[in-house]
Amino acid sequence: MNADRRISVIQRHLRRESAEDYAAPIHKLAVNATKATSEAFPQATSAVIKFPENKGDYFDLDGMLTPSAKAVRYRVREFMENEAAPIINDYWERADFPQQLRAGLGKLGIGGAGIKGYGCSGLSVMEEAMAMMELARVDASLALAYLVHDSLCAHTIDKVGSEEQKQKYLPKLSTFEYMGCWALTEPDWGSDAASLAMTATKVDGGWRLDGCKRWIGNSTFADVCCIYARGSEDGQVKGFVIEPKTQQGWTVEKMENKVAMRITQNGDITLTNAFVPDSQRLPGANSFADATGALATSRVIVAWQPVGIGMGIYDACHRYLMERRQFGAPLGAMQIQQERLMRMLGTLQAMIGMAHRATVLAEEGRLTPGKASLAKAWNTSAGRQLASLGRELMGGNGIIHDFHVAKAFCDMEAGTYDVNMLVAAREMTGVAAFKPSARKSK
């Protein structure tokens, strides 16, 4: 991307009250544009000005992909490097979501993955995984927003929704005209989601929902929300699809002060005596197992998120070591830095292998919840190790987001590990260890 294009992207996307007030900062981003460096620090390239070239696919993931999966991968990569990377740090700093990217995401043809008809893309699991990886390589928050919107909300409507609901919502979700969220977790019930307490009381013509949800991604601006509540009469978990912007009794408050996934808009939702008509009841969601059905595929897709984050970190570190000089030589010529870089590269290849195999099993119909959970948990743990090495390798520049690693380091910390490992362990041992023993020690 040349200097003029970078400036135009930044100008087009950054929402400013006065263009004149920000003309100088925008121009500053293009200083020494042929070198893609800044006057203050000319030795290394800012990820905002030019995102690093991909160097992390050392064992040739492309060679294991179909032409269509590769096409998705490179289509998403081009969009993220050219349209998202120039503006994304500003949104991360402000903890705001770049709504103007939604139209571009819609044109990528990644919405409605795995869904046949209704204008959806119908991507294979591997194709969806490639979209997830390339989104996360530039920004994990956008990847998470995509996961919630597509793998959870759209998939739920496709799997357990009525034909009328599918016709109404899936076409607009597939183009990102509508954004979706998926609400299961509650303030008192995080990992123990099966104990959810939001109630659904049957009334004439519909249901009354009361209760709270927490950590719900996309919820502050979502057009569609799949939400779960416990029936007050039979105690069974039931699903509903509602429209937050017009739903009576709905309030949402943005969760502030996050140090990771800052662009993802997590919210605290409260429903108070909220009437939901029978037409908005998800007819196939009648138990907790039905509610978590969407999680099986999403777990294997989310296993690619740390892969993408790790690949972005590796790419940034590789370029930095080639550009940054100390003691009369590039940092890449130092033994300790080469060793760190290769540890990162080896870890990344192992993460790719774990995620790829799990995805192949999913496409063959042989992926179990335990296998999906192990891939997600292991990649989360390995990704944290990779990110830590990358932050250390970058020295002081590893704590500012100009060079990408600091932001990605924080976002990598948002992954979950323990409960997913217990899901896998339950499958291997036949023993569920989620709850402590009720017996008291003598």
Side-chain angles (χ1 to χ4, degrees), residues 190-306:
S191 298
D192 187 12
S195 298
L196 68 88
M198 177 174 279
T199 59
T201 304
K202 191 68 181 76
V203 296
D204 288 344
W207 301 78
R208 292 284 182 188
L209 270 57
D210 289 276
C212 301
K213 299 292 181 181
R214 185 166 173 80
W215 285 110
I216 309 306
N218 301 344
S219 59
T220 63
F221 62 90
D223 302 282
V224 182
C225 177
C226 293
I227 193 165
Y228 298 92
R230 191 174 302 281
S232 56
E233 295 181 0
D234 60 9
Q236 291 297 311
V237 173
K238 305 179 189 303
F240 303 84
V241 55
I242 63 179
E243 299 177 20
K245 293 178 179 178
T246 58
Q247 176 63 52
Q248 166 267 332
W250 164 290
T251 58
V252 61
E253 183 176 350
K254 177 182 173 180
M255 295 178 65
E256 303 283 1
N257 307 318
K258 294 188 301 175
V259 298
M261 300 292 183
R262 288 175 55 78
I263 289 173
T264 302
Q265 303 296 291
N266 297 96
D268 286 315
I269 296 171
T270 301
L271 287 177
T272 305
N273 199 28
F275 176 76
V276 179
D278 286 325
S279 61
Q280 298 303 100
R281 170 88 163 84
L282 290 166
N286 300 297
S287 67
F288 183 72
D290 294 333
T292 57
L295 295 177
T297 301
S298 72
R299 279 197 182 104
V300 73
I301 297 302
V302 82
W304 287 93
Q305 186 177 43

Side-chain angles (χ1 to χ4, degrees), residues 94-410:
R94 293 189 279 130
D96 194 10
F97 188 89
Q99 299 288 345
Q100 64 271 43
L101 291 180
R102 285 167 56 178
L105 288 170
K107 293 176 183 177
L108 290 175
I110 60 174
I115 300 174
K116 295 181 180 179
Y118 309 102
C120 294
S121 67
L123 295 182
S124 69
V125 182
M126 189 67 75
E127 290 164 352
E128 185 180 4
M130 291 303 98
M132 182 65 166
M133 180 182 70
E134 291 296 336
L135 289 166
R137 178 172 167 263
V138 173
D139 186 72
S141 295
L142 285 180
L144 180 57
Y146 170 64
L147 178 85
V148 171
H149 167 84
D150 209 65
S151 295
L152 295 179
C153 180
H155 277 215
T156 293
I157 294 171
D158 181 57
K159 289 180 183 297
V160 299
S162 67
E163 182 60 30
E164 180 183 358
Q165 290 163 353
K166 294 175 188 180
Q167 294 281 358
K168 182 177 182 179
Y169 296 119
L170 291 179
K172 291 185 177 180
L173 288 170
S174 70
T175 62
F176 296 84
E177 178 182 347
Y178 279 1
M179 283 296 291
C181 70
W182 193 82
L184 179 66
T185 304
E186 297 184 356
D188 292 336
W189 311 106
S191 298
D192 187 12
S195 298
L196 68 88
M198 177 174 279
T199 59
T201 304
K202 191 68 181 76
V203 296
D204 288 344
W207 301 78
R208 292 284 182 188
L209 270 57
D210 289 276
C212 301
K213 299 292 181 181
R214 185 166 173 80
W215 285 110
I216 309 306
N218 301 344
S219 59
T220 63
F221 62 90
D223 302 282
V224 182
C225 177
C226 293
I227 193 165
Y228 298 92
R230 191 174 302 281
S232 56
E233 295 181 0
D234 60 9
Q236 291 297 311
V237 173
K238 305 179 189 303
F240 303 84
V241 55
I242 63 179
E243 299 177 20
K245 293 178 179 178
T246 58
Q247 176 63 52
Q248 166 267 332
W250 164 290
T251 58
V252 61
E253 183 176 350
K254 177 182 173 180
M255 295 178 65
E256 303 283 1
N257 307 318
K258 294 188 301 175
V259 298
M261 300 292 183
R262 288 175 55 78
I263 289 173
T264 302
Q265 303 296 291
N266 297 96
D268 286 315
I269 296 171
T270 301
L271 287 177
T272 305
N273 199 28
F275 176 76
V276 179
D278 286 325
S279 61
Q280 298 303 100
R281 170 88 163 84
L282 290 166
N286 300 297
S287 67
F288 183 72
D290 294 333
T292 57
L295 295 177
T297 301
S298 72
R299 279 197 182 104
V300 73
I301 297 302
V302 82
W304 287 93
Q305 186 177 43
V307 173
I309 300 171
M311 192 169 287
I313 291 173
Y314 179 85
D315 294 342
C317 288
H318 181 278
R319 182 172 71 182
Y320 186 81
L321 290 187
M322 296 299 99
E323 295 178 343
R324 176 73 163 141
R325 298 178 65 86
Q326 289 289 281
F327 306 105
L331 289 182
M334 311 296 181
Q335 286 185 354
I336 190 170
Q337 297 289 42
Q338 287 194 1
E339 190 277 337
R340 283 175 178 148
L341 192 68
M342 289 307 98
R343 254 196 294 165
M344 293 169 63
L345 185 61
T347 299
L348 180 59
Q349 305 318 297
M351 293 166 65
I352 292 171
M354 175 79 84
H356 183 271
R357 182 59 185 157
T359 305
V360 170
L361 290 173
E363 293 193 323
E364 294 175 350
R366 297 194 293 134
L367 183 72
T368 64
K371 289 183 174 72
S373 294
L374 181 62
K376 179 177 182 289
W378 194 89
N379 275 1
T380 294
S381 178
R384 287 172 177 166
Q385 296 173 42
L386 185 155
S388 180
L389 283 168
R391 201 232 62 78
E392 191 173 9
L393 180 150
M394 297 279 285
N397 285 320
I399 64 168
I400 57 174
H401 60 49
D402 300 48
F403 303 100
H404 182 69
V405 172
K407 177 172 76 73
F409 174 90
C410 291

